[in-house]
Amino acid sequence: MTYTIKTEKNEWEIVCGLEIHCQIISKSKIFSGASTEFGDDANENVSFIDAGMPGMLPVLNKECVRQAVKTGLGLNAEINKYSVFSRKNYFYADQPNGYQITQYEYPIVGFGKVKIDLSDGTSKEIGITRIHIEQDAAKSIHDLNPKKSYIDFNRAGVGLMEIVTEPDFRSPEEAGAFLKKLRSIVRYLGTCDGNMDEGSMRCDASISVRLKGEAGMRERAEVKNVNSVKFAMQAIENEAKRQVEIYEQGGTIAQQTCRFDQTTGQTKFMRLKEYADDYRYFPEPDLPPLELTDEYIEQIKKEMVELPDAKKERFIKDFGLTAYDADVLTEAKETADFFEKAAAGHDGKKVANWILGDLFANLNANKLTLDQSPVKPEMIGELVDLISNNTISGKIAKDVFALMWQTGDMPSKIVEEKGLKQVTDSGAIEALVDSVLAQNAENLALYKAGKTNLFGFFVGQVMKQSKGSANPQMVNELLKKKLG
Ligand code: MN
């Protein structure tokens, strides 16, 4: 889907790339043994090296390396068997060493690609430039005291994967779809919890615009630390519009860093952007180059879980789901697992309808997550069977579902106890039909005189007399026969 910003004179397009910092799931930090627990008291989990004490040496955490390799494989990327740690030199109060240990010329993961699905039914491949691993900075807190800033070092040294994309995004929607896909993949892999609001996944967007058809790229602005998918989309849209406005007024854009204001949705100029040279990168003398073996990478490949794209394709093929339904069911692994458990041995398409319909509606209305659901997978499978084998009608099934939600009982138990079993005994239904026709002699006469749209009225009366328990198809057939 093409997205352009139209002005009186011109059509502009967006050129955008993303850099996403993902906190690595590991028990301890990337270069120290301190805990990575989120939400502990401030400065509880700080080792000497995290605090920048002199003479302390970093020791690389194996688990962080493993997680980065896993993530690289999940993004269909090359794993670099040789990578090097570098020092990125800059002063900031939350960075007591005066440098960050990161990777520069030789990152652990190289080129990769991720498929995104768009709302118009098309898909697009987004290029991954690289993933490097590095240490997180401490957290500065400016809003606790009007005169002081505080620093919490619990975050200092937590392992990060910085995932850098190619400037492949041409619309806010594409960037949003990518962030959702990336979040879904790292959650499937268990390498990052993907919680943008807690800051464990943070997005920087590099945004420039150019005239439609123009070659090359113009100067860009980088919007820092956006903490939700919605805000990232807003920041891209508004920053692009801001740049278009400046160009149209004859102005120029300098490479710059901006921040995103959540209350106004606008981007604000912060500072001119520093260039890589400014950081005086050099190889980290306290850590040797990281070398991985083929066997090591192969072993991790063997442990990979099925990822959302593959699962989606399989759900479409094996269960006959629509692309949209399969997409919704596979976004979170918990939902996909729930569906598969429910669908095992039952009609998958019908199971999907109940999950995406009544179950999701009830979960949303009660603000519950899937694992808090009183309705369990096996209950949905059984409910679908009760409808297919004519034990209950689809209409009664809705009531049964409501009772499943209230009681947590199996549908068969509810049907038994409440006497909701559908009447499929043709003799019993015939008796009902006869009695309805006898009671409505006037309408019967009208029907016979040609008012055939009264058919629905008779069906309704029979269903009503059976308290909804008569098999609707049999009612229809018997009525047709009787009314000739
Ligand atoms: Mn970084």
Side-chain angles (χ1 to χ4, degrees):
M1 199 180 337
T2 47
Y3 175 95
T4 53
I5 300 169
K6 287 194 186 82
T7 63
E8 268 176 38
K9 291 174 274 180
N10 298 308
E11 262 189 63
W12 296 85
E13 71 171 0
I14 291 178
V15 180
C16 171
L18 299 177
E19 290 177 14
I20 300 107
H21 283 91
C22 292
Q23 277 187 348
I24 300 170
I25 293 178
S26 63
K27 286 203 176 71
S28 53
K29 296 183 180 179
I30 187 167
F31 301 122
S32 83
S35 165
T36 56
E37 197 61 40
F38 181 83
D40 279 356
D41 281 345
N43 296 307
E44 279 287 302
N45 306 321
V46 189
S47 72
F48 288 127
I49 184 147
D50 306 323
M53 295 294 170
M56 293 297 125
L57 293 174
V59 178
L60 180 59
N61 180 346
K62 259 191 198 167
E63 182 58 16
C64 292
V65 174
R66 232 186 125 63
Q67 295 285 62
V69 170
K70 236 188 201 176
T71 304
L73 293 172
L75 304 184
N76 309 299
E78 291 163 31
I79 306 302
N80 293 326
K81 285 191 280 176
Y82 177 85
S83 67
V84 174
F85 289 96
S86 290
R87 279 192 188 180
K88 182 181 183 182
N89 296 284
Y90 68 97
F91 170 78
Y92 203 78
D94 62 18
Q95 186 74 271
N97 282 316
Y99 61 82
Q100 177 192 33
I101 303 179
T102 178
Q103 295 185 312
Y104 186 51
E105 292 110 319
Y106 301 99
I108 187 165
V109 176
F111 282 111
K113 51 181 189 296
V114 171
K115 195 177 113 212
I116 53 169
D117 298 317
L118 301 165
S119 60
D120 65 354
T122 62
S123 354
K124 177 170 175 174
E125 233 166 47
I126 300 299
I128 301 294
T129 313
R130 57 188 273 150
I131 305 176
H132 58 257
I133 48 177
E134 59 188 23
Q135 53 183 178
D136 206 345
K139 194 175 160 78
S140 301
I141 300 154
H142 304 295
D143 55 3
L144 284 182
N145 187 310
K147 289 189 177 156
K148 287 179 183 158
S149 281
Y150 295 96
I151 300 181
D152 179 2
F153 279 84
N154 284 352
R155 203 179 72 179
V158 169
L160 291 177
M161 302 180 275
E162 183 175 334
I163 300 167
V164 182
T165 78
E166 294 289 292
D168 285 345
F169 302 103
R170 294 291 169 273
S171 70
E173 189 205 353
E174 289 176 8
F178 176 81
L179 285 172
K180 279 191 203 152
K181 191 57 162 295
L182 178 65
R183 185 171 61 189
S184 165
I185 291 171
V186 292
R187 283 178 174 168
Y188 266 76
L189 292 169
T191 57
C192 169
D193 69 25
N195 295 334
M196 292 186 81
D197 52 346
E198 286 179 0
S200 45
M201 187 171 144
R202 313 191 282 269
C203 174
D204 302 342
S206 273
I207 303 145
S208 65
V209 294
R210 65 183 172 199
L211 290 167
K212 206 148 181 13
E214 180 181 328
M217 272 156 57
R218 298 193 181 198
E219 291 296 313
R220 61 200 159 86
E222 189 175 27
V223 185
K224 287 287 202 189
N225 285 330
V226 188
N227 68 358
S228 82
V229 174
K230 196 181 108 206
F231 288 152
M233 292 169 68
Q234 245 178 43
I236 293 166
E237 180 168 12
N238 291 333
E239 174 57 24
K241 284 182 177 159
R242 186 181 76 92
Q243 293 181 16
V244 165
E245 210 169 293
I246 291 172
Y247 283 129
E248 294 256 323
Q249 287 167 2
T252 54
I253 303 281
Q255 181 163 312
Q256 59 190 272
T257 301
C258 298
R259 69 184 176 83
F260 176 70
D261 186 332
Q262 293 182 8
T263 48
T264 63
Q266 299 299 314
T267 50
K268 292 267 163 57
F269 175 84
M270 262 199 327
R271 57 174 189 265
L272 287 176
K273 167 90 180 149
E274 45 297 297
Y275 288 82
D277 285 355
D278 301 332
Y279 289 114
R280 320 303 287 176
Y281 280 98
F282 61 82
E284 168 58 51
D286 291 339
L287 287 166
L290 175 59
E291 291 186 58
L292 307 176
T293 62
D294 288 321
E295 298 75 57
Y296 174 83
I297 297 165
E298 281 310 309
Q299 187 53 40
I300 296 178
K301 268 187 195 162
K302 277 190 208 138
E303 294 161 16
M304 293 291 283
V305 295
E306 184 184 36
L307 290 173
D309 281 346
K311 220 182 255 298
K312 181 180 166 184
E313 238 168 76
R314 186 166 60 79
F315 281 9
I316 293 172
K317 195 169 140 272
D318 290 3
F319 299 105
L321 302 189
T322 63
Y324 178 81
D325 286 357
D327 208 33
V328 179
L329 287 171
T330 53
E331 188 180 328
K333 189 167 178 297
E334 298 71 42
T335 316
D337 290 347
F338 187 101
F339 166 74
E340 279 209 87
K341 247 189 232 158
H346 309 281
D347 183 329
K349 208 166 153 51
K350 290 187 174 137
V351 166
N353 288 341
W354 280 99
I355 292 175
L356 297 171
D358 292 57
L359 181 63
F360 274 20
N362 276 286
L363 290 173
N364 287 338
N366 294 284
K367 296 195 169 59
L368 293 180
T369 58
L370 204 49
D371 61 331
Q372 297 167 317
S373 169
V375 171
K376 305 293 174 208
E378 57 279 11
M379 293 157 67
I380 293 185
E382 196 190 75
L383 182 67
V384 163
D385 283 357
L386 290 175
I387 306 164
S388 325
N389 65 25
N390 284 326
T391 306
I392 54 174
S393 66
K395 195 161 172 294
I396 291 288
K398 290 261 178 197
D399 301 336
V400 174
F401 186 92
L403 289 166
M404 282 156 59
W405 181 269
Q406 279 168 32
T407 61
D409 283 340
M410 286 298 279
S412 53
K413 186 174 171 224
I414 293 168
V415 168
E416 196 61 42
E417 280 179 4
K418 302 268 170 188
L420 296 171
K421 226 170 166 180
Q422 182 165 243
V423 177
T424 50
D425 167 0
S426 60
I429 295 175
E430 194 169 354
L432 278 172
V433 168
D434 286 342
S435 113
V436 163
L437 294 179
Q439 285 162 28
N440 295 279
E442 213 172 303
N443 279 332
L444 182 59
L446 284 170
Y447 182 91
K448 294 217 158 141
K451 224 177 158 204
T452 51
N453 58 357
L454 278 168
F455 189 79
F457 164 80
F458 292 119
V459 174
Q461 288 300 309
V462 177
M463 290 307 293
K464 199 171 158 194
Q465 291 215 358
S466 78
K467 296 192 179 69
S469 69
N471 176 301
Q473 209 182 329
M474 294 177 72
V475 171
N476 266 285
E477 279 163 15
L478 279 165
L479 264 169
K480 261 184 213 155
K481 216 165 78 187
K482 295 262 168 186
L483 291 169

